[in-house]
Amino acid sequence: MGSQAEEGFWFGEIEVGTPPKTYRVQFDSLSSDLFLPGPSCKSSACHDHNIYNPRGSSTAQDTHRPFHIQPENNPEITIRCEIYVDTVIIGGLTVTTQAVGAAVDYPGSLASDEFPPDGVLGFAFPKLSQFGSRFTPLFSTLVARGLVTSPEFGVKLSQSDSQLFVGGVNSDSYRGDIIRTPVTEVGFWQISLDSANVNGNPIVSHRPAIIDTSSFAIHGPSRDVQRFYSAIPGAQDIGQGIWTFPCGSLPPLGLTFGGYPWAISPESFNLGPKSEGSSSCIGALVALDSDDLWLIGNVFLQNVYTVFNIETKEVGEANLK
């Protein structure tokens, strides 16, 4: 199915209910649940989003179970939901009695001017579901009911032709072999980062890394980020985890997964001048308050084709066509 990127978010359309209504959802590899703003949501952040109204769907069933969701990429907020089951259509695939969270409030960070999609659709392992073991996440439901021919999904990110391929991979989007890396801790899509490279040299090695489609930047521990930028001539720490580098002289950068070095293009790593007319540009690797964990966001993912397999528990990367 097609998707799009806007203001750092990667999202696409699904349909929910009978008759089906279209919603834009952020595809999130850090969560497992589907939630949308519900009819009881009175907060201003729900304005300008498409509201999921179970009363307008003949296939909606109220489970009479309230729930709280704390997004992994923003644990400081809590979203209260009423859980329903309803029909969900994604990429032409129809799933009946699928759990849908109807949010009864939205924090300000989910207002439409900051969060363009209507809601979130999680693609992490069922272990991360905050709806409980009674309900199966959407992709796991597709696999368990035999509605897809393969227990994996492929992701291509770009500004113009992003794509989520549900139930396999799109061979038209990549070339060569898919280099697969085992998941080291089931829940998130966490794999081993062999190394972070500057000018072909491994600067940081052997770190746990979570593949994070909900984040734009790459995040790493402060000490690792400092070592990485120290290998870039002219790089400077400007505070709050952010570094700059001379705009016109960025050496080759990359990350190694599965023993294969994957390049990060200068265009994706360069977030632009730190101020108008400045010769210093902001780098897309940002310091994270963590001992050793890296979060690999869309700055890297838009350089490769990424495959997630929920049965073999692997993440694969391939070169884009």
Side-chain angles (χ1 to χ4, degrees):
M1 62 180 296
S3 60
Q4 65 186 96
E6 182 180 319
E7 298 177 11
F9 295 97
W10 177 54
F11 56 88
E13 293 183 347
I14 63 171
E15 295 175 290
V16 182
T18 304
K21 183 176 179 180
T22 300
Y23 301 91
R24 300 197 304 176
V25 289
Q26 180 186 30
F27 299 129
D28 184 4
S29 64
L30 291 190
S31 66
S32 300
D33 301 311
L34 166 61
F35 69 85
L36 298 164
S40 300
C41 186
K42 305 302 181 183
S43 62
S44 60
C46 286
H47 298 170
D48 299 324
H49 287 305
N50 289 321
I51 302 297
Y52 167 62
N53 187 354
R55 292 185 178 181
S57 171
S58 63
T59 48
Q61 302 174 45
D62 191 348
T63 70
H64 302 288
R65 289 193 64 185
F67 216 82
H68 294 74
I69 293 177
Q70 288 185 300
E72 293 291 342
N73 59 347
N74 196 346
E76 296 180 357
I77 68 174
T78 298
I79 301 167
R80 294 184 298 135
C81 294
E82 295 284 347
I83 302 177
Y84 291 80
V85 294
D86 206 342
T87 297
V88 177
I89 303 173
I90 179 171
L93 302 170
T94 300
V95 184
T96 58
T97 61
Q98 178 59 47
V100 181
V104 300
D105 57 16
Y106 256 14
S109 59
L110 295 186
S112 60
D113 57 347
E114 296 187 42
F115 184 76
D118 300 310
V120 171
L121 173 56
F123 276 86
F125 287 92
K127 182 180 179 180
L128 290 188
S129 175
Q130 298 183 52
F131 286 171
S133 59
R134 175 182 170 185
F135 305 103
T136 305
L138 179 62
F139 186 69
S140 296
T141 304
L142 288 167
V143 173
R145 296 183 186 176
L147 298 175
V148 290
T149 58
S150 174
E152 61 186 5
F153 55 96
V155 170
K156 177 186 177 183
L157 296 181
S158 72
Q159 292 299 316
S160 58
D161 60 347
S162 294
Q163 181 187 79
L164 169 66
F165 196 96
V166 180
V169 297
N170 184 355
S171 58
D172 292 333
S173 295
Y174 71 92
R175 55 185 171 84
D177 295 330
I178 298 174
I179 308 300
R180 298 178 184 269
T181 305
V183 171
T184 56
E185 187 172 334
V186 172
F188 299 110
W189 293 98
Q190 181 174 317
I191 59 178
S192 177
L193 171 63
D194 295 341
S195 63
N197 315 311
V198 178
N199 214 13
N201 300 314
I203 305 302
V204 177
S205 301
H206 307 301
R207 297 286 191 264
I210 293 173
I211 306 302
D212 179 11
T213 61
S214 64
S215 292
F216 181 72
I218 303 170
H219 294 83
S222 296
R223 67 179 187 278
D224 289 352
V225 171
Q226 181 176 12
R227 290 174 61 187
F228 187 90
Y229 280 107
S230 293
I232 300 176
Q236 293 185 336
D237 181 356
I238 61 173
Q240 298 184 326
I242 299 172
W243 287 68
T244 62
F245 61 90
C247 294
S249 58
L250 190 65
L253 306 177
L255 302 176
T256 298
F257 291 107
Y260 190 95
W262 306 96
I264 302 174
S265 71
E267 293 78 15
S268 56
F269 191 82
N270 186 341
L271 301 185
K274 70 175 184 179
S275 59
E276 186 176 355
S278 174
S279 60
S280 294
C281 286
I282 296 174
L285 173 60
V286 180
L288 178 74
D289 185 14
S290 166
D291 291 335
D292 57 3
L293 182 67
W294 283 57
L295 295 178
I296 311 300
N298 300 341
V299 163
F300 171 75
L301 297 176
Q302 64 186 293
N303 293 273
V304 295
Y305 188 78
T306 306
V307 181
F308 303 81
N309 193 304
I310 201 168
E311 284 193 356
T312 63
K313 300 177 178 62
E314 295 174 313
V315 176
E317 309 288 358
N319 289 303
L320 292 170
K321 279 189 175 178

